[in-house]
């Protein structure tokens, strides 16, 4: 992955975590050969009655290990408008549980960027103070992130409260000879920074002046970018040595990340659309302010596509988080998002959301059934030996799960590793053979604990599995346009038709419900229902496959 400034040793950071006084950790280091061989010979169990050994500290390609995440900085938009659909840092943030699943772990810094032009324009339309509007949108954004189980970062700086730090960095860049002043504006001189373009691979001569912003004839080079802008009528401004004005877009992130993480830290994240010019300019100005500035790894998430087009406001093909979670469980949306590697483009579709919702229901129903069985059994007569196939399954799950997350947060593989343990849990709970298995209760306890731990790390563990199942059912009924009473009435009609041997009518009722995402399950005593992918979407998926 590209780096900036001087290089750093693999899997290391320049200093211990200092995100808060109460938090700290040792420097990251790779495992020695002796440690690796020791860990390979150990078997890890979660059942208290079995040997409890620590998991190996797996090195992380993003600069840390599985117990202590690296210092991180992700760009997001301060005051992002509710109808914004960009994924600048958001998709990376959804995976943050993978790096810090324990409450004591140091958390990253998220820089909230001011989308000054759009915020100011919207504020003027509404007759509202831009900062008040921005704060309101930030609060709404945080509400959405909480519903998606995104852990709140330790530090979430705002540009409006870090003007002094921004001014100090600009002054240092000027002192070091990398910027110049014109009529109260301060511009960075890209000609003074020979390494400009190292992240994106773009050359200055390849840039087309005027493509993104109007050409300013005062600039020494059309590619020079603003560090400080002179105040304009109707815009917020702050006092500075160069007169009243506001910061440029790029300097904000460099100043705030340096304030909390220092000039050298491990991971810098954001959307792939920020590689150029935003992150390229960040590198240039940070290195201009401090020659030892360095980010070990740059992490850029892909876009969301609808069909073959990028989801965007300009195309009118966007949906908001709130629109989605109005009819789908928030964690179904999370599961959908982490089902694609963060660097890849996500293809948004209702069919994929339905699949994610159906999968989530299966996971939670399995865990709920497991908890219910163990609760009713009261954990009596537990023993400390397990069948070999259970131990093999758990070892494989732990290995695949940890390895996939250590491999550049490969969450789709981590999710796939749940399949076999969940299948075994269902077999032990519901099949004739499984009910006769020796050590059934012990196996279920151990498998259940491992699944819960994995869900917690991925941010998919609800506070209550039964409550989450209820919510998934409620959302499915809303999408189907039915109430539960209407579904139960349909079930009763079908039962009456079957008793009267009117099997054609019975099949029609089943298909009517299946068409809107309600599937019926006939048991020995009664018929129940559960959410499912609607029939027409199943046909679409089968055709696409």
């Amino acid at each position: 992955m590209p780096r900036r400034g001087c290089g750093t040793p693999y899997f290391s950071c320049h200093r211990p975590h200092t995100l808060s006084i109460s938090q700290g950790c040792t420097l990251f280091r790779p495992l020695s050969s002796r440690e690796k061989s020791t860990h390979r010979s150990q078997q890890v169990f979660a059942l208290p009655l079995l040997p409890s050994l620590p998991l190996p500290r797996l090195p992380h390609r993003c600069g840390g290990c599985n117990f202590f995440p690296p210092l991180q900085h992700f760009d997001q938009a301060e005051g992002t408008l509710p109808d914004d659909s960009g994924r600048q840092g958001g998709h990376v943030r959804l995976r943050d549980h993978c790096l810090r699943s324990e409450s004591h772990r140091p958390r990253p810094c998220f820089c909230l960027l001011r989308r000054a032009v759009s915020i100011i324009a919207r504020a003027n339309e509404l007759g509202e103070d831009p900062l008040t509007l921005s704060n309101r949108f930030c609060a709404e954004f945080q509400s959405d992130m909480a519903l998606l189980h995104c852990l709140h970062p330790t530090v979430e700086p705002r540009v409006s409260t870090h003007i002094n730090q921004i001014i100090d960095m600009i002054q240092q860049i000027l002192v070091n000879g990398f910027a110049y002043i014109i009529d109260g504006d301060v511009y960075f001189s890209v000609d003074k920074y020979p390494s400009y373009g190292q992240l994106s691979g773009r050359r200055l001569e390849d840039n087309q002046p005027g493509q993104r912003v109007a050409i300013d004839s005062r600039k020494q080079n059309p590619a020079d970018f603003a560090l400080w802008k002179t105040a304009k009528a109707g815009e917020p401004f702050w006092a500075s040595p160069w007169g009243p004005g506001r910061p440029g877009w790029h300097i904000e992130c460099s100043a705030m990340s340096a304030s909390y993480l220092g000039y050298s830290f491990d991971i810098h994240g954001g959307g792939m659309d920020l590689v150029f010019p935003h992150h390229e300019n960040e590198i240039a100005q940070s290195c201009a302010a401090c020659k030892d500035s360095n980010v070990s790894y740059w992490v850029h998430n892909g876009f969301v596509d609808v069909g073959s087009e990028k989801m965007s406001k300009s195309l009118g093909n966007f949906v908001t988080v709130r629109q989605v979670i109005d009819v789908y469980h928030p964690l179904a949306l999370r599961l959908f998002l982490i089902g694609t590697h963060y660097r890849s483009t996500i293809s948004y579709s209702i069919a994929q959301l339905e699949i994610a919702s159906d999968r989530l229901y299966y996971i939670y129903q399995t865990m709920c059934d497991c908890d219910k069985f163990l609760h009713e059994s009261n954990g009596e007569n537990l023993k400390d030996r397990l069948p070999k196939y259970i131990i093999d399954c758990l070892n494989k799950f732990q290995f695949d799960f940890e390895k996939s997350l250590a491999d550049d947060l490969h969450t789709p593989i981590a999710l796939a590793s749940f399949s076999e343990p969940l299948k075994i849990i269902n077999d032990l709970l519901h099949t004739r053979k499984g009910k006769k298995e020796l050590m059934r209760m012990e196996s279920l306890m151990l498998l259940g604990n491992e699944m819960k731990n994995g869900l917690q790390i991925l941010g998919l563990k609800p506070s209550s599995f039964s409550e989450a199942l209820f919510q998934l059912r409620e959302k499915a009924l809303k999408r189907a346009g039915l109430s539960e009473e209407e579904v139960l009435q349909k079930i009763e009609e079908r039962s009456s038709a079957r008793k009267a041997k009117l099997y054609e009518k019975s099949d029609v009722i089943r298909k009517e419900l299946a068409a809107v995402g309600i599937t019926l399950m006939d048991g020995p005593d009664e018929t129940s229902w559960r959410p499912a992918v609607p029939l027409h979407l199943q046909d679409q998926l089968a055709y696409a496959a």
Side-chain angles (χ1 to χ4, degrees):
M1 297 171 64
R3 304 186 176 197
R4 86 179 182 200
C6 56
T8 59
Y10 198 48
F11 303 136
S12 70
C13 67
H14 285 63
R15 56 184 173 81
H17 288 286
T18 55
L19 295 185
S20 69
I21 295 175
S22 62
Q23 295 172 335
C25 81
T26 58
L27 291 173
F28 302 134
R29 61 179 179 82
L31 293 173
S32 67
S33 300
R34 182 176 181 180
E35 288 173 318
K36 289 179 181 178
S37 61
T38 300
H39 283 302
R40 275 195 293 267
S41 66
Q42 295 173 343
Q43 290 186 344
V44 185
F45 304 98
L47 193 65
L49 297 174
L50 298 173
S52 180
L53 301 173
L55 287 169
R57 292 166 53 90
L58 295 177
H60 199 290
R61 277 175 53 187
C62 289
C65 65
N66 61 336
F67 283 161
F68 296 100
L71 297 172
Q72 305 161 68
H73 173 86
F74 297 136
D75 288 337
Q76 297 187 135
E78 178 180 349
T80 299
L81 305 180
D83 56 355
D84 278 353
S85 58
R87 289 172 59 197
Q88 297 182 0
H91 201 44
V92 176
R93 185 173 180 177
L94 287 173
R95 291 171 166 81
D96 194 42
H97 280 264
C98 305
L99 290 177
R100 50 186 178 92
S101 61
E102 301 296 337
S103 59
H104 67 273
R105 297 185 187 180
R107 297 182 179 181
C109 163
F110 285 89
C111 170
L112 291 176
L113 310 177
R114 285 167 51 253
R115 287 186 174 179
V117 176
S118 58
I119 291 295
I120 292 172
R122 179 66 68 88
N124 290 337
E125 289 176 10
L126 300 175
E128 190 173 353
D129 176 69
L131 293 182
T132 302
L133 180 71
S134 174
N135 289 335
R136 177 157 57 85
F137 287 153
C138 284
E140 293 180 6
F141 170 79
Q142 293 297 357
S143 175
D144 291 343
M145 292 300 101
L147 289 172
L148 292 173
H149 279 199
C150 293
L151 302 180
H152 194 73
T154 301
V155 183
E156 199 167 44
R158 308 281 180 88
V159 172
S160 53
T161 58
H162 291 75
I163 298 300
N164 290 337
Q165 292 90 331
I166 292 170
I167 289 174
D168 288 344
M169 179 172 277
I170 294 174
Q171 288 179 315
Q172 188 60 48
I173 294 172
L174 284 165
V175 169
N176 292 342
F178 288 90
Y180 56 93
I181 305 169
I182 300 179
D183 302 329
D185 292 332
V186 183
Y187 286 98
F188 185 91
S189 176
V190 296
D191 291 328
K192 298 290 182 66
Y193 186 71
S195 299
Y196 188 79
Q198 60 181 302
L199 179 68
S200 63
R202 295 174 62 137
R203 299 176 300 176
L204 280 176
E205 54 267 30
D206 295 334
N207 295 332
Q208 299 181 13
Q211 187 175 32
R212 294 184 61 256
V213 294
I215 298 175
D216 187 342
S217 59
R218 301 175 303 158
K219 295 194 292 186
Q220 296 175 2
N221 185 315
D224 293 348
F225 55 90
L227 301 176
W228 187 264
K229 299 179 179 180
T230 305
K232 296 181 177 60
E235 293 184 358
F237 62 88
W238 292 266
S240 79
W242 317 286
R246 59 183 175 86
W249 175 30
H250 315 293
I251 193 66
E252 302 165 347
C253 289
S254 291
M256 290 190 288
S257 61
S259 296
Y260 292 95
L261 303 178
Y263 278 96
S264 293
F265 53 95
D266 291 284
I267 298 176
H268 195 314
M272 62 186 298
D273 53 335
L274 297 183
V275 174
F276 185 89
H278 182 53
H279 287 163
E280 197 69 77
N281 291 349
E282 269 196 75
I283 293 173
Q285 65 199 9
S286 294
C287 291
C290 175
K291 64 179 181 180
D292 294 326
S293 175
N294 178 76
V295 169
S296 299
Y297 299 94
W298 289 87
V299 177
H300 295 102
N301 57 265
F303 294 129
V304 178
D305 278 359
V306 179
S308 58
E309 294 181 317
K310 175 187 172 184
M311 182 183 288
S312 66
K313 288 187 296 182
S314 59
L315 296 175
N317 62 350
F318 67 93
V319 293
T320 65
V321 168
R322 294 187 184 184
Q323 288 173 328
V324 174
I325 64 178
D326 182 51
V327 289
Y328 291 94
H329 195 287
L331 296 186
L333 174 57
R334 184 183 181 95
L335 181 63
F336 162 69
L337 290 171
I338 66 176
T340 301
H341 189 261
Y342 73 89
R343 294 185 188 279
S344 302
T345 297
I346 290 183
S347 295
Y348 174 85
S349 70
I350 297 300
Q352 294 301 324
L353 278 174
E354 287 284 355
I355 290 175
S357 183
D358 186 66
R359 181 64 177 173
L360 196 70
Y361 191 92
Y362 166 75
I363 294 172
Y364 290 174
Q365 184 67 69
T366 300
M367 299 310 303
C368 191
D369 291 345
C370 183
D371 285 348
K372 182 180 178 181
F373 173 80
L374 292 173
H375 176 73
E376 292 173 350
S377 302
N378 294 321
E380 298 177 358
N381 301 321
L382 291 177
K383 302 178 183 178
D384 60 357
R385 299 181 65 115
L386 290 173
K388 184 177 183 300
Y389 83 98
I390 296 292
I391 295 176
D392 290 343
C393 174
L394 285 166
N395 285 340
K396 186 177 188 307
F397 168 76
Q398 290 169 343
F399 178 81
D400 291 345
F401 187 80
E402 292 282 344
K403 182 182 178 182
S404 62
L405 294 184
D407 184 16
D408 199 18
L409 295 179
H410 211 310
T411 50
I413 303 299
L415 288 171
S417 66
F418 282 81
S419 296
E420 185 61 23
L422 289 171
K423 178 183 180 299
I424 291 178
I425 291 175
N426 276 305
D427 288 344
L428 291 171
L429 287 171
H430 304 299
T431 67
R432 183 178 301 176
K433 180 182 177 182
K435 292 178 181 179
K436 295 180 180 180
E437 281 282 358
L438 297 174
M439 310 296 296
R440 180 185 178 214
M441 190 183 306
E442 291 83 353
S443 298
L444 285 170
M445 182 177 290
L446 184 52
L447 287 165
N449 286 341
E450 283 299 317
M451 295 300 95
K452 290 175 185 176
N453 290 339
L455 292 173
Q456 179 69 31
I457 290 173
L458 294 178
L460 292 171
K461 185 175 181 290
S463 56
S464 166
F465 288 112
S466 58
E467 178 64 23
L469 285 172
F470 174 78
Q471 293 170 353
L472 284 163
R473 289 164 67 94
E474 289 291 298
K475 297 288 187 182
L477 290 171
K478 187 172 185 178
R479 296 194 299 272
L482 296 171
S483 65
E484 184 157 23
E485 291 73 20
E486 289 173 322
V487 173
L488 295 178
Q489 183 179 350
K490 289 283 187 182
I491 291 175
E492 183 62 32
E493 290 177 10
R494 178 173 173 270
S495 297
S496 299
R498 294 178 72 192
K499 289 178 182 178
K501 297 185 179 181
L502 300 175
Y503 299 118
E504 186 174 342
K505 181 180 179 180
S506 169
D507 290 342
V508 168
I509 294 174
R510 176 188 283 275
K511 288 180 180 180
E512 285 178 354
L513 291 174
V516 293
I518 304 294
T519 189
L520 302 183
M521 298 175 291
D522 295 320
D525 302 319
E526 61 179 1
T527 298
S528 59
W529 71 273
R530 59 151 290 176
V533 180
L535 282 180
H536 70 283
L537 293 177
Q538 292 183 30
D539 295 338
Q540 287 182 17
L541 292 167
Y543 178 77

